Amino acid sequence: MSNKKNELEALAAEWNRTVKIGDIIEYPPEAYGAASDLRRTRTAAEVLGTHAVVVRVEGISGCIDIRHCTPVREQEGAKCES
């Protein structure tokens, strides 16, 4: 297995240790051409091919690169759109 694939799998594993399905994430407008948005994850992170680690979120049909996501602690008073 390539070093890049190993790095991506390690990144996905770290994300999945700290961000659980149903947790709130924020992603910025410049990443996807929309206003900054809070959404709940609906899958664990997974490696997409050999170039990205992605997660699926409620209300979005595609997947989002986790490098564009910021986990949000619910105790900070975050409210989701979904």
Side-chain angles (χ1 to χ4, degrees):
M1 191 179 308
S2 73
N3 283 342
K4 178 67 173 176
K5 182 84 169 175
N6 288 337
E7 290 172 18
L8 293 173
E9 287 180 353
L11 183 60
E14 179 60 28
W15 175 274
N16 292 331
R17 273 192 291 281
T18 59
V19 180
K20 303 302 179 199
I21 295 171
D23 283 358
I24 298 172
I25 58 98
E26 178 180 20
Y27 60 96
E30 62 271 13
Y32 295 94
S36 185
D37 206 0
L38 297 179
R39 300 283 176 156
R40 288 194 184 273
T41 60
R42 59 183 177 96
T43 65
E46 61 184 313
V47 177
L48 179 64
T50 58
H51 63 282
V53 177
V54 298
V55 66
R56 295 183 186 277
V57 299
E58 293 178 351
I60 303 293
S61 61
C63 52
I64 298 173
D65 189 321
I66 65 168
R67 292 174 291 188
H68 297 295
C69 299
T70 304
V72 176
R73 295 183 191 274
E74 290 202 50
Q75 59 266 32
E76 293 173 359
K79 295 199 185 328
C80 296
E81 297 293 319
S82 48

Coordinates of all heavy atoms in Angstrom, one line a residue:
M1 N 0.9 -1.2 0.0 CA 0.0 0.0 0.0 C 0.9 1.2 0.0 O 1.9 1.3 0.7 CB -0.9 0.0 1.2 CG -2.0 1.0 1.2 SD -3.1 1.0 2.7 CE -3.6 -0.7 2.8
S2 N 0.5 2.3 -0.7 CA 1.3 3.5 -0.9 C 1.3 4.3 0.4 O 0.4 4.2 1.3 CB 0.8 4.3 -2.0 OG -0.4 4.9 -1.6
N3 N 2.3 5.1 0.6 CA 2.4 6.0 1.8 C 1.2 7.0 1.8 O 0.7 7.2 2.9 CB 3.7 6.8 1.7 CG 4.9 5.9 2.2 OD1 4.7 4.9 2.8 ND2 6.1 6.4 1.8
K4 N 0.8 7.5 0.6 CA -0.3 8.4 0.6 C -1.6 7.7 1.1 O -2.3 8.3 1.9 CB -0.5 8.9 -0.9 CG -1.7 9.8 -1.1 CD -1.4 11.1 -0.4 CE -2.5 12.1 -0.7 NZ -2.4 13.4 0.0
K5 N -1.9 6.5 0.6 CA -3.0 5.7 1.1 C -3.0 5.5 2.6 O -4.0 5.7 3.3 CB -3.1 4.4 0.3 CG -4.3 3.6 0.6 CD -5.5 4.0 -0.2 CE -6.6 3.0 0.0 NZ -7.8 3.4 -0.7
N6 N -1.8 5.2 3.1 CA -1.6 5.0 4.5 C -1.9 6.2 5.3 O -2.6 6.2 6.3 CB -0.2 4.5 4.9 CG 0.0 3.1 4.5 OD1 -0.9 2.3 4.3 ND2 1.3 2.7 4.2
E7 N -1.4 7.4 4.8 CA -1.7 8.7 5.4 C -3.2 9.0 5.4 O -3.7 9.5 6.5 CB -0.9 9.8 4.7 CG 0.6 9.7 4.8 CD 1.3 10.7 3.9 OE1 0.6 11.7 3.4 OE2 2.5 10.6 3.7
L8 N -3.9 8.7 4.3 CA -5.3 9.0 4.3 C -6.1 8.1 5.2 O -7.0 8.5 5.9 CB -5.8 8.8 2.8 CG -5.3 9.9 1.8 CD1 -5.7 9.5 0.4 CD2 -5.8 11.3 2.2
E9 N -5.7 6.8 5.3 CA -6.4 5.9 6.2 C -6.2 6.3 7.7 O -7.1 6.3 8.5 CB -5.9 4.5 6.0 CG -6.5 3.9 4.7 CD -6.1 2.5 4.4 OE1 -5.2 2.0 5.1 OE2 -6.6 2.0 3.4
A10 N -5.0 6.8 8.0 CA -4.7 7.3 9.3 C -5.5 8.6 9.6 O -6.0 8.7 10.7 CB -3.2 7.6 9.5
L11 N -5.6 9.4 8.7 CA -6.4 10.7 8.8 C -7.9 10.3 9.1 O -8.6 10.9 9.9 CB -6.3 11.5 7.6 CG -7.0 12.9 7.6 CD1 -6.5 13.8 8.7 CD2 -6.8 13.6 6.3
A12 N -8.4 9.3 8.3 CA -9.8 8.9 8.5 C -10.0 8.3 9.9 O -11.0 8.5 10.5 CB -10.2 7.9 7.4
A13 N -9.1 7.5 10.3 CA -9.2 6.8 11.6 C -9.1 7.8 12.7 O -9.9 7.7 13.7 CB -8.0 5.8 11.8
E14 N -8.3 8.8 12.6 CA -8.3 9.9 13.6 C -9.6 10.7 13.7 O -10.1 10.9 14.7 CB -7.1 10.8 13.4 CG -7.0 12.0 14.4 CD -6.8 11.5 15.8 OE1 -6.2 10.4 16.0 OE2 -7.2 12.3 16.7
W15 N -10.1 11.0 12.5 CA -11.4 11.7 12.4 C -12.5 10.9 13.1 O -13.2 11.4 13.9 CB -11.7 12.0 11.0 CG -13.1 12.6 10.8 CD1 -14.3 11.9 10.7 CD2 -13.4 14.0 10.7 NE1 -15.3 12.8 10.5 CE2 -14.8 14.1 10.5 CE3 -12.7 15.2 10.7 CZ2 -15.5 15.3 10.4 CZ3 -13.4 16.4 10.6 CH2 -14.7 16.4 10.4
N16 N -12.5 9.6 12.8 CA -13.6 8.7 13.3 C -13.4 8.5 14.8 O -14.4 8.2 15.5 CB -13.6 7.4 12.5 CG -14.1 7.6 11.1 OD1 -14.8 8.5 10.8 ND2 -13.6 6.8 10.2
R17 N -12.2 8.7 15.3 CA -12.0 8.6 16.8 C -12.6 9.8 17.5 O -13.1 9.6 18.6 CB -10.6 8.5 17.2 CG -10.0 7.1 17.2 CD -8.6 7.0 17.8 NE -7.6 7.6 17.0 CZ -7.0 7.1 16.0 NH1 -7.3 5.9 15.5 NH2 -6.0 7.7 15.3
T18 N -12.6 10.9 16.9 CA -13.1 12.1 17.5 C -14.4 12.7 17.1 O -15.1 13.4 17.8 CB -12.0 13.2 17.3 OG1 -11.8 13.5 16.0 CG2 -10.7 12.8 18.0
V19 N -14.8 12.3 15.9 CA -16.1 12.8 15.3 C -17.0 11.5 15.1 O -16.6 10.7 14.3 CB -15.9 13.6 14.0 CG1 -17.3 14.1 13.5 CG2 -15.0 14.7 14.2
K20 N -18.1 11.5 15.7 CA -19.0 10.3 15.6 C -20.1 10.7 14.6 O -20.5 11.8 14.4 CB -19.6 10.0 16.9 CG -18.5 9.6 18.0 CD -17.6 8.5 17.5 CE -16.6 8.2 18.6 NZ -15.4 7.5 18.0
I21 N -20.8 9.6 14.1 CA -21.9 9.8 13.2 C -23.0 10.6 14.1 O -23.3 10.2 15.2 CB -22.5 8.5 12.7 CG1 -21.4 7.8 11.8 CG2 -23.8 8.6 12.0 CD1 -21.8 6.4 11.4
G22 N -23.5 11.6 13.5 CA -24.5 12.4 14.2 C -23.9 13.7 14.8 O -24.7 14.6 15.2
D23 N -22.6 13.8 14.9 CA -22.0 15.0 15.4 C -22.2 16.1 14.4 O -22.3 15.9 13.2 CB -20.5 14.8 15.6 CG -20.2 14.0 16.9 OD1 -21.1 13.6 17.6 OD2 -19.0 13.7 17.1
I24 N -22.1 17.4 14.9 CA -22.2 18.6 14.1 C -20.9 19.0 13.5 O -19.9 19.0 14.3 CB -22.8 19.7 14.9 CG1 -24.2 19.4 15.4 CG2 -22.9 21.0 14.0 CD1 -24.8 20.4 16.4
I25 N -20.8 19.3 12.2 CA -19.6 19.9 11.6 C -20.0 21.2 10.9 O -21.2 21.4 10.6 CB -19.0 18.9 10.6 CG1 -19.9 18.5 9.5 CG2 -18.5 17.7 11.3 CD1 -19.7 19.2 8.2
E26 N -19.0 22.0 10.7 CA -19.2 23.2 10.0 C -18.3 23.2 8.7 O -17.2 22.7 8.8 CB -18.8 24.4 10.8 CG -18.9 25.8 10.1 CD -18.6 27.0 10.9 OE1 -17.9 26.8 11.9 OE2 -19.0 28.1 10.5
Y27 N -18.8 23.7 7.6 CA -17.9 23.8 6.5 C -18.1 25.2 5.9 O -19.2 25.7 5.9 CB -18.1 22.6 5.5 CG -19.4 22.5 4.9 CD1 -19.7 23.1 3.6 CD2 -20.4 21.8 5.5 CE1 -21.0 22.9 3.1 CE2 -21.7 21.6 5.0 CZ -22.0 22.2 3.8 OH -23.2 22.1 3.2
P28 N -17.0 25.8 5.4 CA -17.0 27.2 4.9 C -17.6 27.3 3.5 O -17.6 26.4 2.7 CB -15.6 27.5 4.9 CG -14.8 26.3 4.7 CD -15.7 25.2 5.3
P29 N -18.1 28.5 3.3 CA -18.8 28.8 2.0 C -17.8 28.7 0.8 O -18.2 28.2 -0.3 CB -19.3 30.2 2.1 CG -18.5 30.8 3.2 CD -18.2 29.7 4.1
E30 N -16.5 29.1 1.0 CA -15.6 29.0 -0.2 C -15.3 27.6 -0.6 O -14.9 27.3 -1.7 CB -14.3 29.7 0.2 CG -13.5 29.1 1.3 CD -13.9 29.7 2.7 OE1 -14.9 30.4 2.8 OE2 -13.1 29.5 3.6
A31 N -15.6 26.6 0.3 CA -15.3 25.2 -0.1 C -16.4 24.7 -1.1 O -16.1 23.9 -2.0 CB -15.3 24.3 1.2
Y32 N -17.6 25.1 -0.9 CA -18.7 24.6 -1.7 C -19.6 25.6 -2.3 O -20.7 25.3 -2.7 CB -19.5 23.6 -0.9 CG -18.6 22.4 -0.6 CD1 -17.9 22.3 0.6 CD2 -18.5 21.4 -1.5 CE1 -17.1 21.3 0.9 CE2 -17.6 20.3 -1.2 CZ -17.0 20.3 0.0 OH -16.1 19.2 0.2
G33 N -19.3 26.9 -2.3 CA -20.0 27.9 -2.9 C -21.3 28.2 -2.2 O -22.3 28.6 -2.8
A34 N -21.4 28.1 -0.9 CA -22.6 28.3 -0.1 C -22.2 29.0 1.1 O -21.1 29.2 1.5 CB -23.3 27.0 0.2
A35 N -23.3 29.5 1.9 CA -23.0 30.1 3.2 C -22.4 29.1 4.1 O -22.7 27.9 4.0 CB -24.3 30.7 3.7
S36 N -21.7 29.5 5.1 CA -21.1 28.6 6.1 C -22.3 27.9 6.7 O -23.4 28.4 7.0 CB -20.4 29.4 7.2 OG -19.8 28.5 8.1
D37 N -22.1 26.6 6.9 CA -23.3 25.8 7.2 C -22.9 24.8 8.3 O -21.8 24.3 8.4 CB -23.6 25.0 6.0 CG -25.1 24.5 5.9 OD1 -25.8 24.8 6.9 OD2 -25.4 23.9 4.9
L38 N -23.9 24.5 9.2 CA -23.7 23.5 10.2 C -24.6 22.3 9.8 O -25.8 22.5 9.6 CB -24.1 24.0 11.6 CG -23.3 25.2 12.2 CD1 -23.9 25.6 13.5 CD2 -21.9 24.8 12.3
R39 N -24.0 21.1 9.8 CA -24.8 19.9 9.5 C -24.3 18.8 10.4 O -23.2 18.8 10.9 CB -24.5 19.5 8.0 CG -24.9 20.5 7.0 CD -26.3 20.6 6.8 NE -26.7 21.6 5.8 CZ -27.8 21.6 5.1 NH1 -28.6 20.6 5.2 NH2 -28.0 22.6 4.3
R40 N -25.1 17.8 10.5 CA -24.8 16.5 11.2 C -24.2 15.5 10.3 O -24.7 15.3 9.1 CB -26.0 15.9 11.9 CG -26.5 16.8 13.1 CD -27.5 16.0 13.9 NE -28.0 16.9 15.0 CZ -27.3 17.0 16.1 NH1 -26.3 16.4 16.4 NH2 -27.8 17.9 17.0
T41 N -23.2 14.8 10.7 CA -22.6 13.8 9.9 C -23.6 12.6 9.8 O -24.3 12.4 10.8 CB -21.2 13.3 10.5 OG1 -21.5 12.8 11.8 CG2 -20.2 14.4 10.5
R42 N -23.6 11.9 8.7 CA -24.4 10.7 8.6 C -23.6 9.5 8.2 O -24.2 8.4 8.1 CB -25.6 11.0 7.6 CG -25.2 11.3 6.2 CD -26.5 11.6 5.4 NE -26.2 12.0 4.1 CZ -26.2 11.2 3.0 NH1 -26.4 9.9 3.1 NH2 -25.9 11.7 1.8
T43 N -22.3 9.7 8.1 CA -21.4 8.5 7.9 C -20.1 8.8 8.6 O -19.8 9.9 9.0 CB -21.1 8.2 6.4 OG1 -20.3 9.4 5.9 CG2 -22.3 8.0 5.6
A44 N -19.4 7.7 8.8 CA -18.0 7.8 9.3 C -17.2 8.3 8.1 O -17.6 8.2 6.9 CB -17.5 6.5 9.8
A45 N -16.0 8.9 8.4 CA -15.1 9.3 7.3 C -14.5 8.1 6.6 O -14.3 7.0 7.2 CB -14.0 10.2 7.9
E46 N -14.3 8.2 5.3 CA -13.7 7.1 4.6 C -12.8 7.7 3.5 O -12.9 8.8 3.0 CB -14.8 6.3 3.9 CG -15.7 7.0 3.0 CD -16.8 6.2 2.4 OE1 -16.6 5.0 2.0 OE2 -17.9 6.6 2.5
V47 N -11.8 6.9 3.1 CA -10.9 7.3 2.0 C -11.6 7.2 0.7 O -12.2 6.2 0.4 CB -9.6 6.4 2.0 CG1 -8.7 6.8 0.9 CG2 -8.9 6.5 3.4
L48 N -11.5 8.2 -0.1 CA -12.0 8.3 -1.4 C -10.9 8.2 -2.4 O -10.1 9.1 -2.6 CB -12.8 9.6 -1.7 CG -13.5 9.8 -3.0 CD1 -14.5 8.7 -3.3 CD2 -14.1 11.2 -3.1
G49 N -10.8 7.1 -3.1 CA -9.7 6.8 -4.0 C -8.3 7.0 -3.4 O -8.1 6.4 -2.3
T50 N -7.5 7.8 -3.9 CA -6.1 8.0 -3.4 C -5.9 9.5 -3.1 O -4.7 9.9 -3.0 CB -5.1 7.4 -4.3 OG1 -5.2 8.1 -5.6 CG2 -5.2 6.0 -4.5
H51 N -6.9 10.2 -2.9 CA -6.7 11.7 -2.8 C -7.4 12.4 -1.7 O -7.1 13.6 -1.4 CB -7.0 12.4 -4.1 CG -8.4 12.3 -4.6 ND1 -8.9 11.1 -5.1 CD2 -9.4 13.1 -4.5 CE1 -10.2 11.3 -5.4 NE2 -10.6 12.5 -5.0
A52 N -8.4 11.8 -1.1 CA -9.2 12.5 -0.1 C -9.8 11.6 0.9 O -10.0 10.4 0.7 CB -10.3 13.3 -0.8
V53 N -10.2 12.2 2.1 CA -11.0 11.5 3.1 C -12.3 12.3 3.2 O -12.2 13.5 3.3 CB -10.2 11.5 4.5 CG1 -11.1 10.9 5.5 CG2 -8.9 10.8 4.4
V54 N -13.4 11.6 3.1 CA -14.7 12.3 2.9 C -15.7 11.8 4.0 O -15.5 10.7 4.5 CB -15.3 12.1 1.5 CG1 -14.4 12.8 0.5 CG2 -15.5 10.7 1.2
V55 N -16.7 12.6 4.2 CA -17.8 12.3 5.1 C -19.1 12.8 4.4 O -19.0 13.7 3.6 CB -17.6 12.9 6.5 CG1 -17.6 14.4 6.4 CG2 -18.5 12.4 7.5
R56 N -20.1 12.1 4.7 CA -21.4 12.5 4.2 C -22.2 13.2 5.3 O -22.1 12.8 6.5 CB -22.2 11.3 3.6 CG -21.5 10.7 2.4 CD -22.3 9.6 1.8 NE -21.6 9.0 0.7 CZ -21.5 9.4 -0.5 NH1 -22.1 10.5 -0.9 NH2 -20.7 8.8 -1.4
V57 N -22.9 14.2 5.0 CA -23.7 15.0 6.0 C -25.1 15.1 5.6 O -25.5 15.0 4.4 CB -23.1 16.4 6.2 CG1 -21.6 16.2 6.7 CG2 -23.1 17.2 5.0
E58 N -26.0 15.3 6.6 CA -27.4 15.4 6.3 C -27.7 16.6 5.4 O -27.1 17.7 5.6 CB -28.2 15.6 7.6 CG -28.1 14.3 8.5 CD -28.8 14.5 9.8 OE1 -29.2 15.6 10.2 OE2 -29.0 13.4 10.5
G59 N -28.6 16.5 4.5 CA -29.0 17.5 3.6 C -28.1 17.8 2.4 O -28.4 18.7 1.6
I60 N -27.0 17.1 2.3 CA -26.1 17.2 1.2 C -26.0 15.9 0.4 O -25.8 14.9 1.1 CB -24.7 17.7 1.6 CG1 -24.7 18.9 2.5 CG2 -23.7 17.8 0.5 CD1 -25.1 20.2 1.7
S61 N -26.2 15.9 -0.9 CA -26.2 14.6 -1.6 C -24.8 14.0 -1.8 O -24.7 12.8 -1.9 CB -26.9 14.8 -2.9 OG -26.3 15.7 -3.7
G62 N -23.8 14.8 -1.9 CA -22.5 14.3 -2.2 C -21.7 14.2 -0.9 O -22.3 14.3 0.2
C63 N -20.4 14.0 -1.0 CA -19.6 13.9 0.2 C -18.7 15.1 0.3 O -18.5 15.9 -0.7 CB -18.7 12.6 0.1 SG -17.8 12.4 -1.4
I64 N -18.2 15.3 1.5 CA -17.4 16.5 1.8 C -16.0 16.1 2.3 O -15.9 15.3 3.2 CB -18.1 17.4 2.8 CG1 -19.5 17.9 2.3 CG2 -17.2 18.6 3.2 CD1 -20.3 18.6 3.3
D65 N -15.0 16.7 1.7 CA -13.6 16.4 2.1 C -13.5 16.9 3.6 O -13.8 18.1 3.9 CB -12.7 17.2 1.2 CG -11.2 16.8 1.4 OD1 -10.8 16.6 2.6 OD2 -10.5 16.7 0.4
I66 N -13.0 16.1 4.5 CA -12.9 16.5 5.9 C -12.0 17.6 6.1 O -12.0 18.3 7.1 CB -12.6 15.3 6.8 CG1 -11.2 14.8 6.5 CG2 -13.7 14.3 6.7 CD1 -10.7 13.8 7.6
R67 N -11.1 17.9 5.1 CA -10.1 19.0 5.3 C -10.9 20.4 5.2 O -10.4 21.4 5.6 CB -9.1 19.0 4.2 CG -8.1 17.8 4.4 CD -7.1 17.7 3.3 NE -7.9 17.2 2.1 CZ -7.3 16.9 1.0 NH1 -6.0 16.9 0.9 NH2 -8.0 16.5 -0.1
H68 N -12.1 20.3 4.7 CA -13.0 21.5 4.7 C -13.9 21.6 5.9 O -14.8 22.5 5.9 CB -13.8 21.6 3.4 CG -12.9 21.7 2.2 ND1 -12.1 22.7 1.9 CD2 -12.8 20.8 1.1 CE1 -11.5 22.5 0.7 NE2 -11.9 21.3 0.3
C69 N -13.9 20.6 6.7 CA -14.8 20.5 7.9 C -14.2 20.9 9.2 O -13.0 20.6 9.4 CB -15.4 19.1 8.0 SG -16.3 18.6 6.5
T70 N -15.0 21.4 10.1 CA -14.6 21.7 11.4 C -15.6 21.1 12.4 O -16.8 21.5 12.3 CB -14.5 23.2 11.7 OG1 -13.6 23.8 10.7 CG2 -14.0 23.5 13.1
P71 N -15.2 20.1 13.2 CA -16.2 19.6 14.2 C -16.6 20.7 15.1 O -15.8 21.6 15.5 CB -15.4 18.5 14.9 CG -14.2 18.2 14.0 CD -13.9 19.5 13.3
V72 N -17.9 20.7 15.5 CA -18.4 21.7 16.4 C -18.9 21.0 17.7 O -19.7 20.1 17.6 CB -19.6 22.5 15.7 CG1 -20.2 23.5 16.7 CG2 -19.1 23.2 14.5
R73 N -18.5 21.5 18.8 CA -19.0 20.9 20.1 C -20.4 21.3 20.3 O -20.7 22.5 20.3 CB -18.1 21.3 21.2 CG -16.7 20.7 21.1 CD -16.0 21.1 22.4 NE -14.6 20.9 22.2 CZ -14.0 19.7 22.4 NH1 -14.7 18.7 22.9 NH2 -12.7 19.6 22.3
E74 N -21.3 20.4 20.6 CA -22.7 20.7 20.8 C -22.9 21.6 22.0 O -23.8 22.5 22.0 CB -23.6 19.5 20.9 CG -23.7 18.8 19.6 CD -24.9 17.9 19.5 OE1 -26.0 18.3 19.8 OE2 -24.7 16.7 19.1
Q75 N -22.1 21.5 23.0 CA -22.2 22.3 24.2 C -21.9 23.8 23.9 O -22.2 24.6 24.7 CB -21.4 21.7 25.4 CG -19.9 21.7 25.1 CD -19.5 20.3 24.6 OE1 -20.2 19.6 23.9 NE2 -18.3 19.9 25.0
E76 N -21.4 24.1 22.7 CA -21.1 25.5 22.4 C -22.4 26.1 21.9 O -22.4 27.3 21.5 CB -20.0 25.5 21.3 CG -18.7 25.1 21.8 CD -17.7 25.0 20.6 OE1 -18.0 25.3 19.5 OE2 -16.5 24.7 20.9
G77 N -23.5 25.4 21.9 CA -24.8 26.0 21.5 C -25.0 26.0 20.0 O -25.9 26.7 19.5
A78 N -24.4 25.1 19.3 CA -24.5 25.0 17.9 C -25.9 24.5 17.5 O -26.4 23.6 18.2 CB -23.5 24.1 17.3
K79 N -26.5 25.0 16.5 CA -27.8 24.6 16.0 C -27.6 24.2 14.5 O -27.0 25.0 13.7 CB -28.8 25.6 16.1 CG -29.1 25.9 17.6 CD -30.4 26.6 17.7 CE -30.8 27.1 19.1 NZ -30.3 26.4 20.2
C80 N -28.1 23.1 14.1 CA -28.0 22.6 12.7 C -29.1 23.0 11.9 O -30.2 23.2 12.4 CB -28.0 21.1 12.7 SG -26.6 20.3 13.4
E81 N -28.9 23.1 10.6 CA -30.0 23.3 9.6 C -30.8 22.1 9.4 O -31.9 22.1 9.1 CB -29.3 23.7 8.2 CG -28.6 25.0 8.3 CD -29.5 26.2 8.5 OE1 -30.6 26.2 8.0 OE2 -29.1 27.1 9.3
S82 N -30.2 20.9 9.6 CA -30.9 19.6 9.3 C -31.7 19.1 10.4 O -31.8 19.6 11.5 CB -29.9 18.6 8.9 OG -28.8 18.5 9.8

